[in-house]
Amino acid sequence: MKYYLVAGEASGDLHGANLMKALKAEDGEAVFRYFGGDKMKTEGGELVKHYADMAFMGFTEVILNLRTIFRNLKVCKDDILNWKPDVLILIDFPGFNLKIAAFAKANGIKVCYYISPKVWAWNQKRVLKIKKVVDHMFCILPFEVDFYKEWGMKVDYVGNPLLDEIAQFTPDVNFRENNQLGGEKIIALLPGSRKQEIARLLPVMLSITESYPHCIFAIAAAPSFTEAYYHQFMGDKKVKLLFNNTYNLLHYAHAAIVASGTATLETALFKVPQVVVYKGGTISIAIARMLVKIKFISLVNLIVNKKIVTELIQEDCNTQKVNEALKIIMEGAGRNMMLKDYDELLLLMGKPGASAKTAKLISTYVK
Protein backbone atom coordinates (compact mmCIF):
# COMPACT_ATOMS: atom_id res chain seq x y z
CA MET A 1 0.00 0.00 0.00
CA LYS A 2 0.99 3.60 -0.61
CA TYR A 3 1.12 5.82 2.48
CA TYR A 4 1.50 9.61 2.22
CA LEU A 5 2.48 11.31 5.49
CA VAL A 6 2.66 15.02 6.35
CA ALA A 7 4.65 16.21 9.39
CA GLY A 8 5.60 19.86 9.69
CA GLU A 9 7.97 20.05 12.67
CA ALA A 10 10.61 18.10 14.60
CA SER A 11 8.19 16.31 16.92
CA GLY A 12 6.07 15.23 13.95
CA ASP A 13 9.18 13.90 12.23
CA LEU A 14 9.94 11.77 15.30
CA HIS A 15 6.41 10.38 15.55
CA GLY A 16 6.18 9.91 11.79
CA ALA A 17 9.36 7.83 11.76
CA ASN A 18 8.07 5.56 14.53
CA LEU A 19 4.74 5.16 12.75
CA MET A 20 6.45 4.32 9.46
CA LYS A 21 8.48 1.64 11.22
CA ALA A 22 5.29 0.17 12.71
CA LEU A 23 3.46 0.32 9.37
CA LYS A 24 6.29 -1.64 7.73
CA ALA A 25 5.83 -4.31 10.40
CA GLU A 26 2.10 -4.47 9.52
CA ASP A 27 2.58 -4.20 5.75
CA GLY A 28 5.78 -5.65 4.35
CA GLU A 29 5.18 -3.94 1.00
CA ALA A 30 4.46 -0.47 2.41
CA VAL A 31 5.65 2.43 0.24
CA PHE A 32 6.05 5.93 1.67
CA ARG A 33 6.13 9.49 0.41
CA TYR A 34 6.10 12.40 2.84
CA PHE A 35 6.67 15.90 4.09
CA GLY A 36 8.87 15.39 7.16
CA GLY A 37 12.47 15.30 8.28
CA ASP A 38 15.66 13.32 8.77
CA LYS A 39 14.17 10.72 11.13
CA MET A 40 11.45 9.81 8.64
CA LYS A 41 14.04 9.70 5.88
CA THR A 42 15.93 6.96 7.72
CA GLU A 43 12.81 4.77 7.43
CA GLY A 44 12.93 4.94 3.63
CA GLY A 45 10.54 6.28 1.03
CA GLU A 46 10.71 9.68 -0.62
CA LEU A 47 11.09 12.97 1.30
CA VAL A 48 9.28 15.66 -0.70
CA LYS A 49 9.88 18.64 1.60
CA HIS A 50 11.74 19.08 4.89
CA TYR A 51 9.91 20.50 7.90
CA ALA A 52 12.65 23.15 8.29
CA ASP A 53 11.02 24.95 5.35
CA MET A 54 7.55 24.77 6.89
CA ALA A 55 7.50 25.52 10.62
CA PHE A 56 6.42 29.08 11.42
CA MET A 57 5.63 30.08 14.99
CA GLY A 58 2.86 32.44 16.08
CA PHE A 59 0.14 34.46 14.36
CA THR A 60 2.34 37.26 13.02
CA GLU A 61 5.05 34.88 11.78
CA VAL A 62 2.42 32.93 9.84
CA ILE A 63 1.11 36.14 8.24
CA LEU A 64 4.62 37.25 7.28
CA ASN A 65 5.27 33.88 5.63
CA LEU A 66 1.92 33.35 3.91
CA ARG A 67 3.48 33.19 0.45
CA THR A 68 5.76 30.33 1.51
CA ILE A 69 2.91 28.54 3.28
CA PHE A 70 0.62 28.73 0.23
CA ARG A 71 3.44 27.52 -1.99
CA ASN A 72 4.03 24.55 0.33
CA LEU A 73 0.30 23.77 0.32
CA LYS A 74 0.25 23.75 -3.48
CA VAL A 75 3.30 21.50 -3.67
CA CYS A 76 1.71 19.08 -1.21
CA LYS A 77 -1.68 18.98 -2.96
CA ASP A 78 -0.17 18.51 -6.40
CA ASP A 79 2.14 15.78 -5.15
CA ILE A 80 -0.68 13.90 -3.44
CA LEU A 81 -2.79 13.97 -6.59
CA ASN A 82 0.10 12.82 -8.77
CA TRP A 83 1.11 9.98 -6.44
CA LYS A 84 -2.44 8.79 -5.60
CA PRO A 85 -1.83 7.26 -2.15
CA ASP A 86 -4.12 4.64 -0.60
CA VAL A 87 -4.24 6.70 2.58
CA LEU A 88 -3.09 10.13 3.75
CA ILE A 89 -1.70 10.24 7.30
CA LEU A 90 -1.50 13.71 8.82
CA ILE A 91 0.62 14.27 11.92
CA ASP A 92 -0.33 17.21 14.17
CA PHE A 93 0.54 20.59 12.43
CA PRO A 94 -3.16 21.57 12.14
CA GLY A 95 -2.91 24.96 10.38
CA PHE A 96 -1.44 23.20 7.35
CA ASN A 97 -2.79 19.68 7.73
CA LEU A 98 -6.49 20.48 8.09
CA LYS A 99 -6.33 22.23 4.72
CA ILE A 100 -4.65 19.17 3.23
CA ALA A 101 -7.30 16.96 4.87
CA ALA A 102 -10.12 18.92 3.23
CA PHE A 103 -8.38 18.72 -0.14
CA ALA A 104 -7.77 14.97 0.14
CA LYS A 105 -11.33 14.27 1.29
CA ALA A 106 -12.70 16.23 -1.70
CA ASN A 107 -10.55 14.06 -3.97
CA GLY A 108 -11.71 10.75 -2.53
CA ILE A 109 -8.55 9.96 -0.53
CA LYS A 110 -8.97 8.36 2.91
CA VAL A 111 -7.66 10.64 5.69
CA CYS A 112 -6.17 9.44 8.97
CA TYR A 113 -5.02 12.02 11.52
CA TYR A 114 -2.35 10.94 14.01
CA ILE A 115 -1.86 13.19 17.04
CA SER A 116 -4.94 15.33 17.33
CA PRO A 117 -4.85 19.07 16.67
CA LYS A 118 -5.06 20.92 19.98
CA VAL A 119 -8.60 22.07 19.32
CA TRP A 120 -9.33 21.82 23.04
CA ALA A 121 -7.04 24.83 23.60
CA TRP A 122 -8.91 27.37 21.44
CA ASN A 123 -11.62 27.60 18.78
CA GLN A 124 -13.16 24.29 19.83
CA LYS A 125 -15.75 24.48 17.04
CA ARG A 126 -12.98 23.33 14.68
CA VAL A 127 -14.06 19.84 15.74
CA LEU A 128 -17.06 20.26 13.42
CA LYS A 129 -14.70 20.73 10.47
CA ILE A 130 -12.53 17.82 11.58
CA LYS A 131 -15.59 15.54 11.63
CA LYS A 132 -16.19 16.39 7.97
CA VAL A 133 -12.67 15.98 6.59
CA VAL A 134 -11.01 13.31 8.78
CA ASP A 135 -12.02 9.66 8.53
CA HIS A 136 -10.12 8.42 11.58
CA MET A 137 -8.54 10.39 14.44
CA PHE A 138 -5.88 8.90 16.71
CA CYS A 139 -5.30 10.72 20.01
CA ILE A 140 -2.21 10.55 22.23
CA LEU A 141 -3.43 12.46 25.30
CA PRO A 142 -5.95 10.77 27.64
CA PHE A 143 -8.21 13.80 28.13
CA GLU A 144 -8.72 14.24 24.36
CA VAL A 145 -11.05 11.23 24.14
CA ASP A 146 -13.64 12.80 26.45
CA PHE A 147 -13.25 16.16 24.71
CA TYR A 148 -14.10 14.72 21.28
CA LYS A 149 -16.91 12.65 22.77
CA GLU A 150 -18.59 15.85 23.98
CA TRP A 151 -18.66 17.00 20.35
CA GLY A 152 -20.13 13.72 19.14
CA MET A 153 -16.94 12.41 17.51
CA LYS A 154 -15.53 8.96 18.15
CA VAL A 155 -11.74 8.79 18.25
CA ASP A 156 -9.14 6.14 19.07
CA TYR A 157 -6.81 6.66 22.04
CA VAL A 158 -3.52 4.96 21.22
CA GLY A 159 -1.24 6.04 24.07
CA ASN A 160 1.71 8.36 23.56
CA PRO A 161 4.41 7.70 20.94
CA LEU A 162 7.10 9.32 23.06
CA LEU A 163 6.92 6.28 25.32
CA ASP A 164 7.82 4.12 22.31
CA GLU A 165 10.82 6.26 21.43
CA ILE A 166 12.13 6.39 24.99
CA ALA A 167 11.60 2.64 25.48
CA GLN A 168 13.84 2.00 22.44
CA PHE A 169 16.56 4.34 23.68
CA THR A 170 19.83 2.92 25.00
CA PRO A 171 22.06 5.44 26.84
CA ASP A 172 25.61 5.94 25.60
CA VAL A 173 27.87 4.99 28.49
CA ASN A 174 30.64 7.13 26.98
CA PHE A 175 28.43 10.19 26.50
CA ARG A 176 30.17 12.36 29.10
CA GLU A 177 33.65 11.39 27.96
CA ASN A 178 32.89 11.78 24.24
CA ASN A 179 31.48 15.26 24.76
CA GLN A 180 33.99 16.48 27.35
CA LEU A 181 31.28 16.91 29.97
CA GLY A 182 33.37 15.77 32.93
CA GLY A 183 31.69 14.95 36.22
CA GLU A 184 29.84 18.24 36.72
CA LYS A 185 26.09 18.48 37.01
CA ILE A 186 24.60 19.00 33.56
CA ILE A 187 21.88 21.56 32.95
CA ALA A 188 20.19 20.83 29.62
CA LEU A 189 18.92 23.69 27.45
CA LEU A 190 16.18 22.77 24.98
CA PRO A 191 15.33 25.98 23.08
CA GLY A 192 13.13 24.33 20.44
CA SER A 193 13.48 23.52 16.76
CA ARG A 194 12.09 26.66 15.12
CA LYS A 195 14.29 29.59 14.22
CA GLN A 196 12.02 32.13 15.91
CA GLU A 197 11.80 30.33 19.23
CA ILE A 198 15.54 29.62 19.39
CA ALA A 199 16.31 33.30 18.72
CA ARG A 200 13.92 34.40 21.48
CA LEU A 201 14.58 31.76 24.12
CA LEU A 202 18.23 30.77 23.89
CA PRO A 203 19.63 34.20 24.94
CA VAL A 204 17.49 34.08 28.10
CA MET A 205 18.55 30.51 28.84
CA LEU A 206 22.22 31.41 28.40
CA SER A 207 21.94 34.53 30.53
CA ILE A 208 21.91 32.48 33.75
CA THR A 209 24.99 30.35 33.10
CA GLU A 210 27.29 32.48 35.23
CA SER A 211 25.09 31.84 38.27
CA TYR A 212 26.05 28.14 38.12
CA PRO A 213 29.86 28.03 37.87
CA HIS A 214 30.03 24.42 39.09
CA CYS A 215 27.58 23.13 36.48
CA ILE A 216 27.97 22.65 32.76
CA PHE A 217 25.28 23.79 30.33
CA ALA A 218 24.54 21.85 27.15
CA ILE A 219 22.27 22.86 24.29
CA ALA A 220 20.15 20.25 22.52
CA ALA A 221 20.66 21.58 18.98
CA ALA A 222 18.15 21.05 16.18
CA PRO A 223 19.75 19.22 13.22
CA SER A 224 18.21 21.66 10.75
CA PHE A 225 20.55 24.46 11.96
CA THR A 226 24.33 24.90 11.80
CA GLU A 227 26.84 25.33 14.60
CA ALA A 228 27.39 28.88 13.42
CA TYR A 229 23.74 29.71 14.01
CA TYR A 230 23.98 28.69 17.67
CA HIS A 231 27.40 30.24 18.24
CA GLN A 232 26.03 33.72 17.56
CA PHE A 233 24.08 33.36 20.83
CA MET A 234 26.70 31.42 22.79
CA GLY A 235 29.66 33.75 22.43
CA ASP A 236 32.43 32.67 24.82
CA LYS A 237 30.13 31.13 27.42
CA LYS A 238 30.99 27.74 28.92
CA VAL A 239 28.34 25.83 26.98
CA LYS A 240 28.36 22.60 24.99
CA LEU A 241 26.49 22.28 21.71
CA LEU A 242 25.11 18.79 21.02
CA PHE A 243 23.45 17.71 17.79
CA ASN A 244 21.32 14.53 17.54
CA ASN A 245 21.95 13.70 21.17
CA THR A 246 18.89 15.01 23.04
CA TYR A 247 17.96 11.74 24.75
CA ASN A 248 21.50 11.13 25.98
CA LEU A 249 21.57 14.69 27.23
CA LEU A 250 18.30 14.23 29.12
CA HIS A 251 19.43 10.88 30.50
CA TYR A 252 22.48 12.47 32.11
CA ALA A 253 21.02 15.90 32.92
CA HIS A 254 20.44 17.08 36.49
CA ALA A 255 17.92 19.75 35.46
CA ALA A 256 16.66 21.46 32.30
CA ILE A 257 15.23 24.66 30.85
CA VAL A 258 12.80 23.73 28.09
CA ALA A 259 10.82 25.51 25.38
CA SER A 260 7.11 24.81 25.70
CA GLY A 261 6.13 21.94 23.42
CA THR A 262 6.68 18.21 23.10
CA ALA A 263 10.12 18.52 24.72
CA THR A 264 8.54 19.34 28.09
CA LEU A 265 6.88 15.92 28.12
CA GLU A 266 10.06 14.17 26.95
CA THR A 267 12.01 15.86 29.75
CA ALA A 268 9.45 14.74 32.33
CA LEU A 269 9.46 11.16 31.04
CA PHE A 270 13.23 11.14 31.62
CA LYS A 271 12.45 12.39 35.14
CA VAL A 272 14.55 15.55 34.75
CA PRO A 273 13.27 18.51 36.83
CA GLN A 274 12.58 21.42 34.47
CA VAL A 275 11.59 25.03 33.99
CA VAL A 276 9.31 25.66 30.99
CA VAL A 277 9.75 28.87 29.00
CA TYR A 278 7.99 30.49 26.07
CA LYS A 279 8.27 33.76 24.15
CA GLY A 280 6.32 34.74 21.07
CA GLY A 281 5.81 37.87 19.03
CA THR A 282 3.98 40.64 20.92
CA ILE A 283 0.93 40.59 18.66
CA SER A 284 0.86 36.77 18.55
CA ILE A 285 0.88 36.54 22.33
CA ALA A 286 -1.82 39.20 22.69
CA ILE A 287 -4.08 37.28 20.31
CA ALA A 288 -3.30 33.97 22.01
CA ARG A 289 -4.20 35.36 25.42
CA MET A 290 -7.61 36.35 24.08
CA LEU A 291 -8.30 33.03 22.38
CA VAL A 292 -6.59 30.27 24.38
CA LYS A 293 -8.85 28.68 26.97
CA ILE A 294 -6.47 26.44 28.92
CA LYS A 295 -4.87 26.91 32.34
CA PHE A 296 -1.40 25.70 31.33
CA ILE A 297 0.85 25.67 28.28
CA SER A 298 3.09 22.69 29.09
CA LEU A 299 1.91 19.17 28.34
CA VAL A 300 3.19 18.05 31.74
CA ASN A 301 0.77 20.32 33.60
CA LEU A 302 -2.07 19.79 31.14
CA ILE A 303 -2.04 15.99 31.40
CA VAL A 304 -2.02 15.93 35.20
CA ASN A 305 -4.28 19.00 35.34
CA LYS A 306 -2.23 20.76 37.98
CA LYS A 307 0.93 22.84 38.20
CA ILE A 308 3.94 20.52 38.33
CA VAL A 309 6.49 22.56 36.39
CA THR A 310 6.92 26.33 36.47
CA GLU A 311 5.84 28.05 33.23
CA LEU A 312 7.50 31.38 32.42
CA ILE A 313 5.72 33.05 29.53
CA GLN A 314 6.60 36.23 27.62
CA GLU A 315 7.58 39.00 30.09
CA ASP A 316 8.07 36.40 32.84
CA CYS A 317 10.65 34.66 30.68
CA ASN A 318 13.59 36.69 31.93
CA THR A 319 16.96 36.09 33.58
CA GLN A 320 15.79 36.67 37.14
CA LYS A 321 12.70 34.46 37.06
CA VAL A 322 14.35 31.63 35.12
CA ASN A 323 17.23 31.70 37.62
CA GLU A 324 14.87 31.62 40.61
CA ALA A 325 12.81 28.75 39.19
CA LEU A 326 15.89 26.71 38.33
CA LYS A 327 17.40 27.09 41.81
CA ILE A 328 14.24 25.63 43.36
CA ILE A 329 14.60 22.37 41.41
CA MET A 330 18.37 21.94 41.66
CA GLU A 331 18.11 20.35 45.11
CA GLY A 332 15.92 20.02 48.20
CA ALA A 333 12.15 19.95 48.62
CA GLY A 334 11.27 21.63 45.32
CA ARG A 335 13.23 19.06 43.35
CA ASN A 336 11.82 16.12 45.33
CA MET A 337 8.24 17.35 44.88
CA MET A 338 8.61 17.62 41.11
CA LEU A 339 10.10 14.13 40.86
CA LYS A 340 7.20 12.77 42.94
CA ASP A 341 4.67 14.52 40.69
CA TYR A 342 6.38 12.98 37.65
CA ASP A 343 5.38 9.56 39.02
CA GLU A 344 1.73 10.60 38.77
CA LEU A 345 2.31 11.72 35.18
CA LEU A 346 3.94 8.40 34.24
CA LEU A 347 0.97 6.50 35.66
CA LEU A 348 -1.47 8.50 33.52
CA MET A 349 0.65 8.08 30.39
CA GLY A 350 0.48 4.29 30.49
CA LYS A 351 2.66 1.86 28.55
CA PRO A 352 4.54 2.07 25.22
CA GLY A 353 2.95 0.81 22.01
CA ALA A 354 1.23 3.84 20.44
CA SER A 355 2.93 3.51 17.07
CA ALA A 356 2.15 -0.21 16.74
CA LYS A 357 -1.46 0.28 17.83
CA THR A 358 -1.96 3.16 15.40
CA ALA A 359 -0.38 1.24 12.52
CA LYS A 360 -2.64 -1.75 13.19
CA LEU A 361 -5.75 0.46 13.28
CA ILE A 362 -4.77 2.29 10.09
CA SER A 363 -4.20 -1.02 8.29
CA THR A 364 -7.57 -2.30 9.50
CA TYR A 365 -9.49 0.84 8.57
CA VAL A 366 -7.92 1.27 5.15
CA LYS A 367 -8.23 -2.36 4.08
Side-chain angles (χ1 to χ4, degrees):
M1 288 182 58
K2 295 164 70 175
Y3 302 86
Y4 201 109
L5 296 89
V6 182
E9 48 202 345
S11 60
D13 178 36
L14 169 66
H15 301 323
N18 278 339
L19 182 58
M20 288 166 68
K21 188 182 299 182
L23 284 167
K24 286 189 288 187
E26 286 291 321
D27 176 4
E29 297 181 355
V31 182
F32 301 104
R33 194 169 175 87
Y34 46 89
F35 279 41
D38 299 335
K39 286 182 168 49
M40 292 171 74
K41 196 172 182 179
T42 62
E43 294 300 324
E46 185 72 25
L47 174 64
V48 180
K49 184 168 286 289
H50 199 285
Y51 69 77
D53 300 322
M54 299 172 63
F56 301 105
M57 178 183 167
F59 296 98
T60 51
E61 289 80 1
V62 168
I63 292 169
L64 291 171
N65 290 281
L66 277 176
R67 184 177 295 179
T68 301
I69 292 168
F70 284 127
R71 186 166 59 244
N72 289 340
L73 280 166
K74 186 178 187 308
V75 169
C76 190
K77 290 175 181 179
D78 290 346
D79 199 54
I80 288 170
L81 275 189
N82 290 335
W83 201 57
K84 297 180 176 62
D86 293 298
V87 60
L88 173 67
I89 303 171
L90 305 170
I91 303 171
D92 202 359
F93 204 51
F96 189 94
N97 275 340
L98 286 177
K99 292 179 177 63
I100 297 299
F103 171 81
K105 187 72 173 177
N107 283 278
I109 298 169
K110 191 173 287 290
V111 179
C112 290
Y113 210 120
Y114 180 45
I115 304 178
S116 162
K118 298 174 180 62
V119 288
W120 36 264
W122 67 282
N123 193 8
Q124 296 184 354
K125 288 185 178 179
R126 285 182 296 169
V127 175
L128 300 176
K129 178 182 179 180
I130 290 171
K131 286 173 71 173
K132 292 178 181 177
V133 301
V134 173
D135 295 298
H136 301 285
M137 174 71 74
F138 307 102
C139 295
I140 65 168
L141 299 172
F143 60 82
E144 291 177 329
V145 177
D146 290 336
F147 168 78
Y148 278 104
K149 189 176 180 180
E150 289 175 3
W151 285 89
M153 184 175 177
K154 184 182 181 299
V155 299
D156 290 295
Y157 175 65
V158 293
N160 199 288
L162 288 179
L163 294 168
D164 298 21
E165 185 71 9
I166 292 170
Q168 297 165 15
F169 167 71
T170 303
D172 179 3
V173 295
N174 298 313
F175 174 73
R176 282 184 175 272
E177 181 183 353
N178 291 343
N179 294 284
Q180 294 83 49
L181 291 168
E184 299 169 293
K185 288 179 180 176
I186 299 170
I187 299 175
L189 304 180
L190 282 70
S193 60
R194 299 184 181 105
K195 193 171 188 177
Q196 296 100 327
E197 63 185 346
I198 295 169
R200 290 186 180 122
L201 296 175
L202 190 54
V204 179
M205 293 178 172
L206 292 171
S207 69
I208 68 163
T209 56
E210 292 174 4
S211 299
Y212 299 85
H214 301 299
C215 296
I216 189 159
F217 287 77
I219 301 168
S224 49
F225 296 98
T226 63
E227 287 189 24
Y229 178 73
Y230 287 96
H231 280 298
Q232 67 180 307
F233 305 110
M234 293 162 59
D236 58 358
K237 290 183 179 293
K238 182 187 173 185
V239 181
K240 294 290 183 180
L241 186 63
L242 304 176
F243 286 89
N244 301 310
N245 236 330
T246 301
Y247 279 10
N248 273 309
L249 175 57
L250 288 174
H251 177 78
Y252 288 97
H254 181 76
I257 307 171
V258 188
S260 178
T262 306
T264 64
L265 185 53
E266 289 176 300
T267 303
L269 293 175
F270 273 93
K271 301 204 74 174
V272 180
Q274 65 182 299
V275 179
V276 176
V277 294
Y278 182 82
K279 268 192 175 186
T282 304
I283 296 173
S284 296
I285 289 291
I287 295 171
R289 282 174 168 162
M290 288 189 291
L291 297 177
V292 173
K293 303 182 183 302
I294 51 177
K295 292 187 291 185
F296 307 110
I297 64 166
S298 69
L299 286 173
V300 177
N301 291 344
L302 282 166
I303 292 169
V304 185
N305 196 28
K306 71 176 183 181
K307 180 186 173 184
I308 292 179
V309 300
T310 297
E311 301 175 350
L312 299 175
I313 307 168
Q314 207 63 359
E315 61 273 4
D316 288 333
C317 180
N318 60 56
T319 303
Q320 180 183 342
K321 291 198 173 183
V322 172
N323 202 355
E324 289 171 355
L326 184 60
K327 282 183 178 176
I328 290 170
I329 60 171
M330 287 297 288
E331 56 185 325
R335 180 180 181 83
N336 293 336
M337 178 60 72
M338 190 174 291
L339 291 172
K340 184 179 178 182
D341 285 337
Y342 279 171
D343 289 335
E344 184 179 350
L345 172 73
L346 289 166
L347 193 62
L348 288 170
M349 292 292 292
K351 302 294 183 184
S355 302
K357 186 174 181 180
T358 304
K360 190 176 289 293
L361 286 169
I362 289 174
S363 296
T364 301
Y365 290 147
V366 174
K367 291 176 182 177

